[in-house]
């Protein structure tokens, strides 16, 4: 707790200390049981007499705010007052765009069988290896370099490790100098908007698509246009001519799951070249591919340097590790570094250094191989059980990658109502319609299997089958 006394009116120094401490207790900044500094120490810090501090403490104790224990010190007593926040009356108001933004996904209380998409199984993560690396990095000798926080683009060791990793695993053409470390794909997209786009620019996104991307673009003043997808991915013929950027998930379309075909990818790159448009490639979930040929990234096909490649380690590792990356051509290196600097400077340095070692020691590749085997078994089991749901009401969208599967209702079922009824039975999943952007929503369900074990998959799907088999208002006519 920082206190200060005014040089003006020094006759009431005890009153100033009393008032500040009392306000801190009532505001909740000092909580019941918190220890106050000894009178001698506080007097020394404020350059006043110890008796002055004692007068303030005695007054607070007399009013029931403080209590003293011999040999232990002075502590805040339980006052029964609720903490006070900032003044309710304020002339400040947010821009109107923020009134329509809410966190996604919304909370799902009561979930026991968690089929929400995008969640990995944190139990598969090699915690012992990560703990060993982090412990070594947190030694005083390892933190002694005061210049280690210098580059907003990220630690050089991690940038080099990321370039090698995506070069080997995804054929991405990049050196460490091309990599900017971010806190995830969302921040990478935010940097792209800051560096390359102007308020009012049109950005094309896949429809259906990832809701937070649409929220970020809208909040930044972009005009978002949804572009339909089909069995080959984004429909290039439906792209708006006024678009200045296109955001795509070509290797594993979110949320439907199909990859973009090679002819469609080449058509997109040709369209972007002719119209001088930036393409943002989110290489979503490509580490987990269970069949078919690997999909070549747009970035490796791009000959003009207009594809910005983004990725994240959150789902490979664990969601609380907020580290991702952006691969950009040399013409944008300085701008992205400065955009990173003015917004948040850099990501957590010990985590960056630990991830660099994790990659270089081969632990990331080993973790991906092991977890891929586990997720593949879950993928196959979910596909089998969805196909066996009552009445053959759901049709699976073919997908051979990722941590989720999507299925469309054949009979026009209200998918939001079906998902709500499933939640009532303890089964948490997303309705496919909530991913619609501007076009007609597709009714269906999205089955994530990252956070559910095989026994949980069977029981959760059994309960979902029971929910879908019951007559309900979400069934047509």
């Amino acid at each position: 707790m920082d206190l200060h006394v005014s040089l003006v009116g020094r006759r009431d120094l005890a009153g100033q200390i009393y008032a500040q401490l009392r306000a801190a207790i009532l505001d909740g900044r000092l909580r019941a049981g918190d220890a106050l500094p000894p009178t001698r120490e506080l007097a020394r810090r404020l350059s006043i007499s110890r008796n002055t501090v004692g007068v303030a403490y005695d007054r607070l104790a007399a009013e029931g705010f403080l209590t003293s224990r011999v040999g232990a010190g002075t502590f805040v007593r339980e006052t029964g007052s609720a903490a006070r926040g900032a003044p309710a009356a304020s002339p400040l108001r947010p821009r109107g765009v923020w009134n329509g933004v809410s966190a996604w996904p919304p909370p799902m209380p009561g979930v026991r069988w968690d089929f929400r998409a995008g969640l990995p199984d944190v139990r598969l993560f090699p915690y012992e290896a990560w703990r060993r690396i982090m412990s070594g990095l947190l030694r005083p000798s390892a933190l002694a370099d005061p210049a280690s926080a210098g580059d907003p683009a990220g630690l050089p060791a991690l940038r080099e490790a990321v370039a090698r990793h995506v070069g080997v695993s995804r054929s991405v053409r990049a050196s460490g100098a091309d990599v900017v470390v971010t806190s995830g794909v969302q921040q990478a997209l935010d940097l792209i908007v800051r560096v390359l786009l102007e308020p009012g620019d049109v950005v094309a996104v896949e429809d259906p698509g990832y809701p937070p991307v649409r929220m970020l673009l809208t909040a930044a003043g972009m005009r978002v246009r949804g572009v339909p997808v089909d069995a080959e991915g984004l429909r290039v013929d439906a792209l708006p001519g006024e678009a200045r950027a296109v955001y795509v998930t070509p290797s594993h379309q979110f949320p439907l799951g199909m990859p973009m075909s090679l002819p469609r990818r080449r058509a997109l790159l040709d369209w972007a070249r002719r119209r001088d448009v930036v393409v943002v490639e989110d290489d979503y979930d490509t580490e987990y591919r269970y069949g078919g040929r690997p999909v070549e990234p747009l970035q490796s096909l791009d000959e003009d340097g207009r594809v910005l490649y983004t990725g994240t380690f959150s789902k490979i590792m664990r969601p609380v590790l907020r580290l991702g990356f952006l691969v950009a051509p040399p013409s944008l290196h300085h701008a992205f570094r400065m955009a990173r600097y003015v917004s948040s400077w850099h990501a957590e340095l010990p985590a960056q250094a630990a991830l660099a070692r994790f990659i270089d020691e081969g632990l990331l590749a080993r973790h991906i191989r092991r977890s891929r085997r586990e997720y593949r078994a879950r993928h196959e089991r979910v596909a089998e059980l969805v196909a066996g749901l009552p009445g053959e009401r759901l049709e699976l969208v073919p997908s051979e990658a990722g941590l989720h599967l999507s299925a469309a209702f054949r009979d026009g079922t209200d998918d939001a109502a079906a998902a709500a009824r499933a939640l009532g039975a303890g089964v948490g999943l997303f309705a496919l319609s909530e991913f619609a952007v501007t076009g007609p929503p597709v009714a269906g369900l999205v089955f994530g299997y990252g956070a559910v074990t095989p026994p949980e998959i069977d029981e959760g799907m059994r309960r979902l089958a029971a929910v879908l088999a019951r007559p309900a208002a979400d069934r047509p006519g």
Side-chain angles (χ1 to χ4, degrees), residues 75-414:
F75 302 87
V76 177
R77 295 183 62 178
E78 178 62 60
T79 64
S81 299
R84 295 187 296 185
S90 171
L92 304 179
R93 295 293 183 272
R95 291 167 46 220
V97 66
W98 292 107
N99 295 328
V101 176
S102 58
W104 187 92
M108 285 190 179
V111 170
R112 292 189 59 192
W113 296 274
D114 198 344
F115 289 88
R116 287 175 290 181
L119 299 179
D121 190 340
V122 297
R123 294 162 292 194
L124 301 178
F125 185 69
Y127 288 100
E128 288 302 321
W130 184 260
R131 188 178 298 112
R132 169 182 59 79
I133 294 173
M134 284 295 293
S135 296
L137 290 169
L138 292 176
R139 292 196 310 267
S141 60
L143 301 175
D145 181 10
S148 62
D151 196 338
L155 290 181
L158 178 56
R159 295 164 66 196
E160 293 288 348
V162 168
R164 288 192 297 272
H165 170 68
V166 296
V168 171
S169 65
R170 297 292 296 128
S171 301
V172 170
R173 299 175 297 173
S175 68
D178 300 320
V179 175
V180 178
V181 178
T182 69
S183 61
V185 171
Q186 287 290 107
Q187 188 183 50
L189 186 58
D190 183 63
L191 294 175
I192 292 167
V193 168
R194 292 169 183 266
V195 168
L196 291 171
L197 301 177
E198 299 286 350
D201 280 351
V202 171
V203 180
V205 301
E206 296 164 318
D207 191 0
Y210 187 50
V213 165
R214 182 170 72 255
M215 295 175 189
L216 184 153
L217 293 170
T218 301
M222 305 297 109
R223 291 182 291 156
V224 180
R225 299 288 184 268
V227 180
V229 298
D230 59 21
E232 295 188 64
L234 181 83
R235 282 185 48 194
V236 177
D237 65 327
L239 282 165
E242 69 272 30
R244 299 300 309 138
V246 181
Y247 169 86
V248 289
T249 54
S251 299
H252 181 236
Q253 200 279 331
F254 185 88
L256 294 177
M258 78 286 286
M260 185 183 290
S261 69
L262 179 59
R264 194 69 62 82
R265 278 177 281 151
R266 293 193 181 280
L268 173 59
L269 291 174
D270 182 62
W271 183 90
R273 178 186 54 79
R274 287 186 284 105
R275 295 180 175 269
D276 191 24
V277 171
V278 59
V279 177
V280 183
E281 178 177 18
D282 181 355
D283 208 11
Y284 182 78
D285 270 356
T286 52
E287 295 83 6
Y288 297 118
R289 177 160 291 280
Y290 314 118
R293 298 179 59 186
V295 178
E296 194 170 8
L298 288 167
Q299 196 267 0
S300 66
L301 297 171
D302 176 28
E303 299 296 337
D304 300 315
R306 63 179 61 256
V307 173
L308 300 178
Y309 182 89
T310 69
T312 180
F313 294 99
S314 297
K315 285 194 290 299
I316 306 173
M317 311 276 283
R318 49 179 305 186
V320 296
L321 182 70
R322 303 305 304 171
L323 286 176
F325 58 90
L326 166 66
V327 176
S331 61
L332 299 176
H333 287 179
H334 174 73
F336 277 125
R337 179 177 281 105
M338 291 301 98
R340 187 76 164 90
Y341 172 75
V342 300
S343 61
S344 57
W345 197 348
H346 54 67
E348 183 186 356
L349 295 173
Q352 288 193 54
L355 181 55
R357 292 194 184 181
F358 196 78
I359 295 172
D360 288 341
E361 292 182 14
L363 295 169
L364 178 64
R366 184 186 308 169
H367 170 56
I368 291 173
R369 287 195 300 270
R370 290 176 174 175
S371 55
R372 185 189 292 126
R373 289 194 295 269
E374 175 65 29
Y375 290 139
R376 178 173 187 162
R378 300 183 191 184
H379 173 99
E380 293 172 351
R381 184 58 176 159
V382 168
E384 177 185 357
L385 293 174
V386 170
L389 285 172
E392 297 184 343
R393 296 172 59 195
L394 285 164
E395 180 179 3
L396 271 174
V397 179
S399 175
E400 297 181 324
L403 298 180
H404 74 272
L405 283 163
S406 292
F409 278 113
R410 302 175 190 267
D411 55 5
T413 293
D414 182 339

Side-chain angles (χ1 to χ4, degrees), residues 10-19 51-53 55-56 59:
R10 288 182 66 89
R11 293 180 181 177
D12 193 25
L13 296 180
Q16 293 183 44
I17 295 170
Y18 159 83
N51 287 339
T52 300
V53 177
V55 169
R59 182 176 175 186

